[in-house]
Amino acid sequence: MKRFMSRLLAATLCTTALAAGLPARAETLADALISAYKNSNLLDQNRAVLRAADEDVATAVGSLRPVLQWVADYNQMDTRQQTGGVATIGLQAQMTLYDFGRNRLGIDIAKEAVLATREALVGVEQNILLTAVQAYFDVRSALENVSINENSVRVLGELLRATRDQFDVGEVTRTDVAQAEAGLAAARAGLAAAQGQLAVARENYKAATGHYPGPLAAAPRAPALPKSTDEARAIAQRTHPLILQAQHMAKVADLGVAAAATERMPDITASASVTHNEGGTNDSAIGLGLTQTIYAGGTLSAAHRKAIAQRDQSRAALLQASVGISQGVGGAYAGIQVARAQIAANELQVDAATIAYNGVKEEAKLGARTTLDVLDAEQTLLSARAALITAQVDLQTANYSLLAAIGLLTADHLNLGIPTYDPEAYFNAVKGAPSTSIQGKSLDRVLQAIGKN
């Protein structure tokens, strides 16, 4: 037994040592998106907004139910026949029996508002994930720029040493040395700027994901995208949360017109009460009531006209949302084409600038080129490499911008492999307006599941 435990301990230590010696796993874009989804305060904020909208449905449902109140009363009387006080305590209930659909319309309006708020939450989710994509590729771009500038400082440092050696033997002038010194100083300034951009990118990454970036993995394969602008626009009209939200808000406005019309209709209510008087007697009463507003100074007509105007506003907003989304899809698709063209051109530029730089260096060794020529060629190559990095980042972000433009940049569509927020769980728990009993316990479980209490 002791021998077995010794072998087990040795194997454990060996495994631990091997694990400690392995390099840290590079963080992928999917990792960044998962962190952004899990750590976003903005998502938490808008989920709370959605839960508040869910409660509006519960409030509307509750308006159809009886209202039960206890009432305590004390009256001081001072008359010729009697002086003193009388105390009573009792229960009273009231319920709307028929209101010509006013409360039912209120429930439908609240439900449509919930659906609109869900789409708004999807829009926030898309923005959060797109920000994480941008932050991820900005860090990668900044790291590559730092590496390029570090290499430039190293190369120009070697050039300066070579130029000084040439000056010592009289092959070049003091001007050549000064030019090499100036070039190295400019390279160091560029490196400092690149390091500053990296620091900013790291802060943006932390704001987007909740932590600073570690080693980042290579850019993933581009997501599947529509093959044409027309296909992308068609998908966007069906799935983009802004359009779906506008559709639900238009339905809310239509229902609002109908609800405003019912305000002119009567209400039929029932009431019941039981009262215990101080003298020991009990009173009870049951009643029916019918009320209707005859004149309200024009407020009901004004409310109806306002609802009609809001309906027209919502319909126009829906049409404009469609126009805006179509424009955004076209712009995102064009951005992809431009980035691809820029990458192709920049790759040719880098190849040509590399050949030119190597040639100028060799010619400078033979005295056919000056130090300034070498510095110019090196700067041209540096600019070409930086432009290529920028174009590659632009293409990556443009791909995901198109996904957002058609409404598919979500955790579910990207298959991130994590549990996602279920907007129906809380709604289903509160739509019946629970207060206690089994429904209340079910609501407590839902709150615990989403981390709220």
Side-chain angles (χ1 to χ4, degrees), residues 429 437-450 452-453:
S437 71
I438 296 175
Q439 284 183 307
K441 294 178 180 178
S442 175
L443 177 57
D444 290 340
R445 288 195 297 269
V446 171
L447 289 171
Q448 291 174 359
I450 62 177
K452 307 297 176 186
N453 49 45

Side-chain angles (χ1 to χ4, degrees), residues 30-201:
D31 294 331
L33 294 175
I34 290 171
S35 295
Y37 184 84
K38 289 182 175 180
N39 298 311
S40 173
N41 295 319
L42 193 56
L43 275 177
D44 286 342
Q45 173 188 342
N46 283 272
R47 288 165 183 164
V49 171
L50 176 57
R51 293 195 296 274
D54 293 341
E55 296 293 354
D56 288 338
V57 176
T59 300
V61 169
S63 64
L64 296 174
R65 296 174 178 173
V67 177
L68 180 65
Q69 298 173 312
W70 65 268
V71 180
D73 193 14
Y74 177 81
N75 292 314
Q76 177 69 33
M77 295 180 293
D78 188 3
T79 65
R80 292 180 180 181
Q81 292 79 18
Q82 181 179 1
T83 299
V86 177
T88 63
I89 188 170
L91 291 174
Q92 64 181 25
Q94 185 171 359
M95 180 179 181
T96 300
L97 296 179
Y98 191 65
D99 60 0
F100 292 87
R102 188 180 304 118
N103 285 332
R104 289 294 177 184
L105 285 170
I107 294 174
D108 292 339
I109 288 173
K111 287 181 177 180
E112 288 295 334
V114 165
L115 296 176
T117 308
R118 287 183 187 178
E119 296 303 331
L121 178 60
V122 174
V124 172
E125 179 182 340
Q126 288 207 137
N127 292 336
I128 294 299
L129 296 181
L130 186 58
T131 300
V133 168
Q134 184 68 60
Y136 183 87
F137 287 113
D138 281 349
V139 171
R140 282 187 51 82
S141 173
L143 286 169
E144 292 180 17
N145 277 315
V146 167
S147 177
I148 289 175
N149 280 274
E150 287 175 342
N151 183 66
S152 178
V153 169
R154 181 184 60 79
V155 170
L156 291 180
E158 294 174 355
L159 176 62
L160 176 58
R161 286 191 293 273
T163 304
R164 284 172 175 169
D165 291 340
Q166 290 176 313
F167 176 73
D168 290 340
V169 297
E171 294 181 359
V172 297
T173 66
R174 185 69 184 85
T175 300
D176 293 306
V177 175
Q179 288 174 338
E181 290 173 341
L184 178 58
R188 287 172 175 166
L191 175 58
Q195 290 171 336
Q197 291 173 352
L198 175 59
V200 172

Side-chain angles (χ1 to χ4, degrees), residues 133-134 137-138 141 332 334-340 342-343 346 386-402:
V133 168
Q134 184 68 60
F137 287 113
D138 281 349
S141 173
I336 292 176
Q337 304 304 319
V338 169
R340 287 174 178 170
Q342 287 179 330
I343 289 174
N346 290 142
L388 177 58
I389 292 172
T390 300
Q392 290 170 338
V393 169
D394 288 345
L395 177 59
Q396 293 286 352
T397 54
N399 288 332
Y400 289 93
S401 293
L402 179 58

Side-chain angles (χ1 to χ4, degrees), residues 285-303:
I286 298 177
L288 289 176
L290 177 65
T291 60
Q292 183 176 14
T293 301
I294 299 175
Y295 177 72
T299 57
L300 294 181
S301 297

Side-chain angles (χ1 to χ4, degrees), residues 11-25:
T12 302
L13 293 175
C14 181
T15 302
T16 304
L18 288 173
L22 291 175
R25 187 180 74 87

